[in-house]
Amino acid sequence: MFGQNITFSGKVTRAESGEVLIGASVSVKGTTRGTITDISGKYKLNAKGEDVVLIAKYIGFKDREIAVKVNGRDKINVDFAMVSNDTQLQDIIVTANKTEEYLQKVNVAATVISSKDIEQRTSYSTLDALKDAPLVLTDSWIASQTSFSIRGLANNFDNVGFESTVGLYIDDVYFSRGFAFNSALFDIDRIEVLRGPQGTLFGKNTIGGVVNVISEKPEWANNGQGEIVYGNYNYLQLRGKWNYELIKNKLSMRLTGALTRRNGYIKDPNPAINASNGNNYNGLRGTIFYNPNDKTDITFKAYYGRDNKTEQTMIYLSGQGENPLGVPASDIDTYSANTPQTFYRNQSGGMLRLNRKVGENTFTSISAFNSSEDFVKQDFDETIVDVSRWGRKQGLKNFSQEFRLASPRSDDRTISYVGGLYFLSERIKGLDTSSINEGFIPFARKYLNSKVPDIKGFQETYDVHSDIQSVSFAAFGSGSYKLSEKLKINAGLRFTSEARKFSFYENIGYFIYNGKPVKLMDTYAAQVGSAQNPLTRQTNDNVLTYDISLDYKVNPYVLTYVKYVKGFKGTGFNTSVTRDVTGSALVFKPEYVTSFEAGFKSKFSNRMKLNAAVFYNNYLNKQEFLDQGETVTIVNADKTGGMGAEAEFSAMLKGFRFDISGGLIDMKYKKFIFGKDENGELIDFSGNKLLKAPNVTLSVAPSYTYNLIDKYKLLFGLSINHVGKAYNDISNSEIIARQPSTIINSRVSLMPKNGKWSIALWGKNLGNQIYYQHGWEYIWGSQASLSRPRTYGIEMYLNFF
């Protein structure tokens, strides 16, 4: 293209309401020159020529072309008002390289769940929203005990000294523990799931991948939305958001709130105990966005959330075979406890983000503070026999600061880069408590050779106190160099330095009988240290991690890549009950991963795309949680590894959309010997499959939009999710394993074409398939956490423009 240089700029909006469209693509027809709209729906694009045609594209909208006659001008404003069209796939945006790029041009295996996907698939939590991503498994034992598994790598929720294996982020802010990560979804723009190690740009504890929840940003408009959902089990959800432009095109604010109530899925025949079974959540978030000029924008966010009740999911499995407690196994929809469950969780925090143009680059500063505390106390054996009770209190406070500088990323650049510094200061406290009661004595006489007689009011206790203080610093950089028009090399390096201090003590409260302590609690615990003289440990990790990859662009529609990554996960601490008075196993070693990946991305048209990847991972000293019988500890597996493959396909045609994704994986412990059993035999887990690593996942999600008349449309949606067999422990116990399951969800909604309101009927797990999402084996019997049964309801929302 010949002619003078012109700078085009303008805004892309929704024609019906004037709402800005963030991430819309704007390009020059007949060239590879293009860009995307920013938080304000604005774009800026340089081109040459006398007669230029600009094209704007956005998912769910018709492509818009505007021909522009330059007539000697060097700056031209061109705005686009987009009209809805349900026949095209979106050019999806992802921030895998810490800057916004088109997913199809980034060499990472990623799934992006958009706000539209969240709505059309009736996803009210992160756990629901991720069900369609390949090789991703999500579960929740109680509200604060969530589990995320990617490619067979799962975070642990049962020990505050064990950091997440999957990096959890909300608006680019890191949460090192799952209990501090709020999985409730409201006012969300998208969720990015990055599979495979992401240690160069996202940090040390991302060897399984990253889940990044990105909330919606304030707009230059005055509008709002109210929503009400009602379903079985007395499910009630109220959500609302309000956007207000304080200063035109300069300052805007957004307020969002949510309230959720629901009864428990399984029942206790005792009304007083059953009354504590259910969910009760309230949350608020406020955002202020300031855009003083074209070079600077500032975002401030603050949030608060509180749960004061959580559903009961645990049942007692024993009753077949030996039946150590002499009581029948629980029914699938009932449990019998001897004490109510107590639960609360409080979360709060804030984030300040600054983006500033520095020449052609963008400087970003993100400061964040987060606080989370939760407490649970419940019947530990899940039976009417008063054997044991258990409680946990855990808290986290952290401050993080990130600085980074990123160049623009586009096809016509020879070099692109991003680099920065990251700091995290964190304090985490944990308190585990447990008791053994009268019901334990008959069991101890029969199975532990105890000679203790029946004692009225018997109870012995332990409490375990842990305190972790850590300071982490990292410097990172990543860049790309275009070797030719088709071939690009990418490399990244990160240095992480982390210092931690750990203190630990464990108390036993014995029952005095005939002037002497009974000491049945010695089966599980010991007196270790004291509040005045705890055991202490200090650790330091100084590690280099890196990645290198090659991209080859077969043609404008097909990208292939190969990638090699070296990552690590930091040193951790055992904060569970122990009988080791010396504390020799309080510290477990860091783990390291070597990952190979080859991928293929294609988008043959605006209506069809296919992405696929194969991978092979090797782990050294993989950190694993062992919870069996009398042993509760985290240990290092010497060698672990395996391979897998995954694919995602999407297509749209005349109102019909079809999404299918799936994955295969085979991950095993290659060498994992853990001590000896009571007979002196080696406990060898070598050859076992990893926990939370299903051999196959498959998701099929068709949807169809039917135009009733000119003003209204019906949307029919269906999702079928199959998860193969997965083990819930490293010993691969069959009794508590997750058996293969196929979950069917559906939704039918009516709305006007301008999207002002919607009424929807939805159903989840229509086949009422139940599986064990978690499981534990103890010497008095096995327990399992049940998945959710069939649920259904009605949803209504109204947009206020």
Side-chain angles (χ1 to χ4, degrees):
M1 181 180 292
F2 300 97
Q4 69 182 85
N5 293 319
I6 316 109
T7 299
F8 292 98
S9 61
K11 184 183 290 188
V12 181
T13 61
R14 182 193 295 264
E16 302 95 81
S17 65
E19 178 185 358
V20 299
L21 297 178
I22 303 167
S25 65
V26 181
S27 61
V28 179
K29 188 175 183 177
T31 73
T32 60
R33 192 173 296 275
T35 187
I36 60 175
T37 55
D38 61 15
I39 179 67
S40 307
K42 296 179 180 178
Y43 73 92
K44 184 176 287 187
L45 179 64
N46 295 319
K48 287 185 177 182
E50 294 299 330
D51 296 316
V52 177
V53 177
L54 298 183
I55 305 174
K57 298 180 181 181
Y58 196 74
I59 187 173
F61 294 83
K62 296 177 182 178
D63 290 356
R64 182 80 190 278
E65 293 189 10
I66 297 180
V68 183
K69 289 188 176 296
V70 176
N71 295 331
R73 294 174 291 174
D74 59 359
K75 293 183 179 180
I76 302 175
N77 186 84
V78 180
D79 294 331
F80 292 87
M82 307 294 284
V83 178
S84 296
N85 174 18
D86 294 320
T87 63
Q88 295 188 127
L89 294 172
Q90 180 184 18
D91 287 328
I92 297 173
I93 302 300
V94 70
T95 54
N97 289 317
K98 293 289 187 174
T99 186
E100 292 190 339
E101 300 174 84
Y102 295 131
L103 174 62
Q104 296 304 106
K105 296 183 178 181
V106 181
N107 63 352
V108 64
T111 298
V112 178
I113 300 102
S114 68
S115 58
K116 190 171 183 179
D117 295 330
I118 292 170
E119 175 189 337
Q120 294 183 353
R121 297 173 187 175
T122 320
S123 299
Y124 297 134
S125 72
T126 311
L127 305 182
D128 285 340
L130 302 188
K131 63 183 180 298
D132 295 310
L135 296 181
V136 174
L137 207 64
T138 61
D139 290 310
S140 177
W141 164 36
I142 56 177
S144 65
Q145 308 294 332
T146 55
S147 173
F148 298 87
S149 173
I150 299 179
R151 290 183 175 177
L153 281 298
N155 65 313
N156 177 273
F157 52 79
D158 209 28
N159 187 311
V160 298
F162 187 102
E163 295 193 78
S164 179
T165 299
V166 174
L168 304 175
Y169 287 79
I170 298 178
D171 292 323
D172 264 355
V173 175
Y174 174 60
F175 292 80
S176 67
R177 304 297 193 276
F179 73 82
F181 183 76
N182 187 344
S183 62
L185 289 184
F186 52 99
D187 204 20
I188 299 301
D189 178 70
R190 66 186 185 271
I191 304 173
E192 299 177 359
V193 183
L194 313 180
R195 296 184 293 278
Q198 307 291 327
T200 300
L201 294 179
F202 283 90
K204 58 190 172 61
N205 294 324
T206 58
I207 60 172
V210 166
V211 174
N212 188 14
V213 178
I214 300 172
S215 60
E216 289 187 349
K217 302 171 183 177
E219 306 164 353
W220 305 128
N222 298 326
N223 56 44
Q225 183 184 87
E227 177 192 87
I228 181 169
V229 183
Y230 184 77
N232 59 336
Y233 297 98
N234 283 328
Y235 178 51
L236 175 64
Q237 178 172 272
L238 303 176
R239 299 193 295 187
K241 58 185 178 183
W242 176 55
N243 194 95
Y244 187 70
E245 187 178 23
L246 298 166
I247 303 175
K248 188 173 180 60
N249 295 331
K250 294 288 184 181
L251 182 65
S252 187
M253 65 178 290
R254 196 176 186 94
L255 298 176
T256 306
L259 175 152
T260 301
R261 305 284 186 270
R262 187 185 59 228
N263 294 342
Y265 298 121
I266 57 178
K267 307 297 183 183
D268 191 294
N270 185 334
I273 292 177
N274 197 61
S276 66
N277 179 17
N279 277 0
N280 194 341
Y281 169 78
N282 304 287
L284 293 170
R285 182 173 64 241
T287 308
I288 295 176
F289 179 68
Y290 180 48
N291 188 197
N293 52 57
D294 290 340
K295 292 185 176 182
T296 306
D297 64 72
I298 301 170
T299 304
F300 172 73
K301 295 187 178 184
Y303 71 91
Y304 173 77
R306 176 172 173 80
D307 308 75
N308 57 19
K309 186 188 282 190
T310 190
E311 64 201 26
Q312 169 71 27
T313 67
M314 299 295 300
I315 63 168
Y316 180 67
L317 292 182
S318 294
Q320 302 174 3
E322 194 169 6
N323 192 3
L325 295 184
V327 296
S330 301
D331 294 330
I332 204 69
D333 58 353
T334 61
Y335 72 105
S336 296
N338 49 61
T339 184
Q341 179 173 259
T342 302
F343 176 82
Y344 74 80
R345 177 173 60 167
N346 293 321
Q347 296 177 307
S348 60
M351 179 268 284
L352 179 66
R353 179 184 184 124
L354 165 70
N355 293 318
R356 172 74 178 176
K357 288 287 186 182
V358 182
E360 66 173 0
N361 301 320
T362 300
F363 170 77
T364 299
S365 169
I366 302 175
S367 308
F369 172 78
N370 294 289
S371 175
S372 182
E373 180 182 87
D374 67 88
F375 172 75
V376 61
K377 186 175 182 179
Q378 64 180 49
D379 188 349
F380 199 20
D381 54 274
E382 309 299 341
T383 72
I384 199 64
V385 182
D386 193 8
V387 177
S388 180
R389 301 179 188 183
W390 171 87
R392 169 172 293 153
K393 184 177 182 180
Q394 49 196 5
L396 173 149
K397 293 182 184 296
N398 67 26
F399 170 79
S400 63
Q401 175 65 57
E402 182 172 1
F403 299 111
R404 63 174 181 258
L405 186 70
S407 73
R409 301 184 77 94
S410 63
D411 290 342
D412 56 357
R413 289 186 62 88
T414 302
I415 298 176
S416 299
Y417 55 85
V418 60
L421 302 173
Y422 181 77
F423 172 79
L424 174 68
S425 176
E426 191 166 50
R427 185 164 191 177
I428 300 168
K429 290 187 174 183
L431 170 62
D432 281 9
T433 63
S434 186
S435 68
I436 51 176
N437 307 318
E438 287 183 54
F440 186 81
I441 293 176
F443 166 81
R445 286 202 298 264
K446 184 174 182 179
Y447 292 96
L448 302 179
N449 298 316
S450 170
K451 300 187 182 305
V452 175
D454 290 335
I455 303 173
K456 190 69 173 175
F458 172 80
Q459 183 179 82
E460 291 192 330
T461 64
Y462 72 71
D463 53 87
V464 181
H465 301 256
S466 55
D467 189 344
I468 302 168
Q469 299 179 62
S470 65
V471 175
S472 181
F473 169 82
F476 60 88
S478 180
S480 300
Y481 180 76
K482 191 163 69 171
L483 300 170
S484 69
E485 286 302 313
K486 292 190 174 184
L487 187 63
K488 183 168 65 174
I489 186 170
N490 316 278
L493 181 69
R494 187 183 188 100
F495 172 72
T496 301
S497 179
E498 183 171 62
R500 299 187 184 190
K501 296 180 180 180
F502 175 56
S503 66
F504 176 94
Y505 66 95
E506 182 175 295
N507 292 327
I508 296 182
Y510 290 120
F511 187 90
I512 305 300
Y513 181 69
N514 290 337
K516 295 182 180 180
V518 176
K519 292 192 174 184
L520 278 183
M521 184 55 82
D522 288 353
T523 306
Y524 305 102
Q527 185 71 39
V528 181
S530 65
Q532 295 75 29
N533 188 29
L535 299 186
T536 59
R537 301 289 187 270
Q538 295 190 27
T539 65
N540 289 276
D541 289 325
N542 295 284
V543 180
L544 278 173
T545 54
Y546 56 89
D547 65 77
I548 187 167
S549 63
L550 284 172
D551 301 353
Y552 183 73
K553 186 163 57 174
V554 179
N555 56 49
Y557 314 104
V558 177
L559 173 73
T560 62
Y561 66 89
V562 291
K563 181 190 295 186
Y564 174 82
V565 182
K566 186 75 173 182
F568 99 107
K569 183 167 178 284
T571 302
F573 304 104
N574 271 304
T575 62
S576 298
V577 61
T578 181
R579 291 185 294 169
D580 179 8
V581 296
T582 66
S584 61
L586 286 180
V587 179
F588 50 87
K589 295 180 287 187
E591 66 177 81
Y592 298 88
V593 61
T594 301
S595 175
F596 303 86
E597 181 175 309
F600 167 90
K601 292 191 171 186
S602 63
K603 188 174 182 183
F604 303 106
S605 72
N606 288 331
R607 297 180 179 180
M608 187 179 300
K609 70 177 180 181
L610 172 65
N611 296 340
V614 294
F615 57 90
Y616 179 80
N617 295 335
N618 265 323
Y619 294 87
L620 179 66
N621 293 328
K622 188 174 186 310
Q623 301 165 357
E624 291 291 9
F625 186 71
L626 179 62
D627 187 354
Q628 293 175 294
E630 303 165 34
T631 304
V632 181
T633 187
I634 295 175
V635 295
N636 291 101
D638 295 330
K639 295 180 180 180
T640 304
M643 63 183 66
E646 59 202 14
E648 295 178 284
F649 173 78
S650 297
M652 293 189 75
L653 179 64
K654 294 183 179 180
F656 178 76
R657 174 168 175 169
F658 184 76
D659 295 287
I660 181 170
S661 65
L664 301 170
I665 193 170
D666 183 21
M667 295 286 291
K668 294 181 179 179
Y669 303 108
K670 297 180 177 179
K671 182 182 179 183
F672 191 3
I673 299 174
F674 175 74
K676 297 181 179 180
D677 61 21
E678 60 273 13
N679 299 319
E681 300 291 333
L682 287 177
I683 302 174
D684 190 354
F685 297 120
S686 304
N688 284 7
K689 292 182 179 294
L690 273 65
L691 76 163
K692 305 291 184 184
N695 57 339
V696 61
T697 67
L698 178 64
S699 172
V700 180
S703 63
Y704 179 70
T705 301
Y706 177 73
N707 294 316
L708 286 174
I709 51 178
D710 290 342
K711 293 184 178 180
Y712 300 97
K713 59 183 178 180
L714 274 173
L715 177 67
F716 302 89
L718 184 70
S719 67
I720 304 171
N721 302 99
H722 176 78
V723 176
K725 185 175 182 178
Y727 290 103
N728 282 316
D729 65 347
I730 61 178
S731 64
N732 290 182
S733 170
E734 292 292 339
I735 191 173
I736 59 173
R738 174 178 178 148
Q739 298 302 322
S741 61
T742 302
I743 306 300
I744 301 174
N745 305 321
S746 68
R747 179 185 175 98
V748 179
S749 56
L750 171 68
M751 66 187 71
K753 290 185 177 180
N754 63 10
K756 187 168 184 178
W757 54 265
S758 170
I759 299 175
L761 299 175
W762 55 266
K764 300 183 182 183
N765 191 8
L766 297 179
N768 203 32
Q769 286 211 8
I770 304 298
Y771 55 85
Y772 298 154
Q773 56 179 344
H774 296 300
W776 295 266
E777 286 188 297
Y778 296 108
I779 58 175
W780 59 67
S782 300
Q783 304 165 11
S785 171
L786 297 180
S787 63
R788 293 179 177 178
R790 180 190 299 116
T791 57
Y792 48 85
I794 184 170
E795 172 193 290
M796 296 175 287
Y797 72 72
L798 176 65
N799 288 317
F800 305 95
F801 296 126

